[in-house]
Amino acid sequence: MPPWKKLSIYTSEGSRFGTRPLHSAIIATALEQELYSVMALKAMEGFGPQMAILTANQMALASDLPIEVRILDEAAIIEAFLTDQAEMLTGCLITLEDIEIVQLPPSVLS
């Protein structure tokens, strides 16, 4: 089996790409490119470079909680995605990790 990677893209609810939320644009693009697994995780609480602590309990008109978009796939596919989507991902914190696949559904292995 080829090596796999986990790509983590850190953004926020308020980040946009064109007219849509950035995390939605990333997921739609990953779906179009048929990446293996993509999910967006919304934080309950956190802070970024601006150092303002935000929580889901705050009563605010405009919420801007942190969001992590995680993508799992073969290393070559992840690297191609990063290259192809460089413009969309400008300004995001991005991490890339080697992962060990312990088990995949049988349909993926065929």
Side-chain angles (χ1 to χ4, degrees), residues 72-110:
L72 304 176
D73 211 320
E74 294 177 12
I77 294 170
I78 293 284
E79 290 164 13
F81 180 82
L82 278 171
T83 301
D84 294 345
Q85 303 310 317
E87 179 185 350
M88 178 169 46
L89 302 176
T90 300
C92 296
L93 171 64
I94 299 172
T95 64
L96 188 60
E97 301 173 52
D98 294 329
I99 59 171
E100 178 182 351
I101 299 296
V102 176
Q103 178 175 317
L104 281 174
S107 61
V108 176
L109 300 173
S110 56

Side-chain angles (χ1 to χ4, degrees), residues 13 18 22-23 37-38 42 51 71 74 80 89 101 110:
E13 289 179 299
L22 178 58
H23 66 278
S37 174
V38 183
K42 181 178 175 180
M51 302 304 281
I71 302 175
E74 294 177 12
L89 302 176
I101 299 296
S110 56

Side-chain angles (χ1 to χ4, degrees), residues 30-78:
L31 178 62
E32 288 170 9
Q33 294 184 5
E34 299 181 348
L35 276 74
Y36 179 74
S37 174
V38 183
M39 69 176 85
L41 306 164
K42 181 178 175 180
M44 294 173 37
E45 185 172 9
F47 68 89
Q50 77 283 1
M51 302 304 281
I53 295 176
L54 302 170
T55 70
N57 294 329
Q58 288 175 324
M59 299 301 286
L61 294 175
S63 182
D64 199 24
L65 289 168
I67 294 180
E68 176 188 358
V69 179
R70 276 189 203 163
I71 302 175
L72 304 176
D73 211 320
E74 294 177 12
I77 294 170
I78 293 284

